[in-house]
Amino acid sequence: MKNKFNNRVFGAVLIRADIANYNADFTGSPRTLPNGIVYATDKALKYAIRNYLKHNGELIFYTTRYKKENMQPLDIDETYRELFGEYPKKTEVKKKKSEKEEAYFKRIKEEVDKFIRENEGFKIVANINNNYILRKEIDGYKSEIVIIGHSPNDRKREIILQNLLKALDIRLFGATFASSEGNLSIHGNAQISHGINIYGENNICSEDITSPFRNLNEKSEESQQTTIGNQTFLEEGHYLHNFTINPKNSEELIKLIDNQGYLTKEDIDKFKEAINRGVSYYDSASKIGVENEFSIFVTLKENEKIQLPLFTTLIKVGQKEDSFKRDLDLSELKSLLEEVENNIEKVEIYIDKTKLDCKDEIFEIPKVCVKSITSNKEIKKCQE
């Protein structure tokens, strides 16, 4: 398992919104805390990440799919079948009275051989305590699976879990899989917090808009007029989401399925790309003007046990006179990372220099590599 990712990571991502609505509530307004500070849910960022990964050809489970015949969204069982094929079928071979185990296990194998002869394309892929797992490949991730043995139901959940962990979003964020075939709870390796606007202002604006179509309600006084609506947006905001990565979160489940579905280094690279570009990539009428502007990944050495605080109070964004750019202050975060330098393997910073200005102290952070968030090119030679 040389490709397995074993390190813990602490990080944050900064999302800028200019005359835009990054994450609306059900009234269409930017979400606000009771004290008036604008925020976004973790789901808003996860949606952008999933959308980016899906459009780059990755298998994503938690995304809306539709039936071709009526355009209704698929339910969770239909989604599983769409991606992986039917749920595993079970055939229990019951032990006869006074039958010796050796004869019983031989009879199970005979049933398996008979099934393979009568059903073309099936192969034995595993034999776990005389429960034979037979697979017939269909296409893509789809396959037909049959379990024949003395307790086939014991193996069914393991196969479902193996299939679910083929999806990158489940390897990253976990899942609560409540289906007709039973429930599975998978602890996500990557956890993302709500995003708080760390900019000093929370100015929410609203404007009227008109539709080219008249009101469909003939009883309405406005039935002969075009309809009027409104849209709401934030004048300017800088949402800070914290995130952590801990591969041990799913370790116990992974062990139950012979270490299949663990988090890989390639998974982390894809996560970095998606969290750095996913929000900018996702355009809509309300999201235009919402962009990725900064992120930081602090990777600890393997087996390090230290716990870093959230970076919310350690990263500051302030106004810059007569400029569209904003000042990024990482001085408090730099002090923290200097304290734990011996526990850190590397620090990666991605920044949009067209939106943020920062002091040269950013390059003095221990073991840092600073890159452009848009091009991924080094802004200054990375420390070894």
Side-chain angles (χ1 to χ4, degrees), residues 284-308:
S284 70
S286 63
K287 299 291 189 295
I288 190 76
V290 182
E291 297 177 296
N292 296 87
E293 61 178 347
F294 168 85
S295 70
I296 182 168
F297 295 76
V298 180
T299 304
L300 303 183
K301 293 178 179 177
E302 198 168 328
N303 298 319
E304 278 293 344
K305 301 295 192 298
I306 63 165
Q307 183 69 30
L308 299 185

Side-chain angles (χ1 to χ4, degrees), residues 54-88:
K54 179 178 70 174
H55 286 188
N56 277 274
E58 298 297 329
L59 178 64
I60 301 299
F61 188 87
Y62 284 94
T63 187
T64 305
R65 296 176 174 83
Y66 298 92
K67 297 178 182 179
K68 293 180 180 178
E69 58 270 22
N70 55 18
M71 292 190 67
Q72 288 184 352
L74 301 183
D75 64 30
I76 196 164
D77 288 323
E78 290 167 336
T79 299
Y80 181 95
R81 294 186 182 101
E82 174 79 12
L83 296 179
F84 307 118
E86 292 294 330
Y87 285 110

Side-chain angles (χ1 to χ4, degrees), residues 232-250:
T232 310
F233 53 84
L234 183 65
E235 181 183 10
E236 181 179 347
H238 300 262
Y239 297 81
L240 185 72
H241 292 271
N242 291 275
F243 64 84
T244 61
I245 301 172
N246 185 357
K248 290 189 180 296
N249 286 353
S250 61

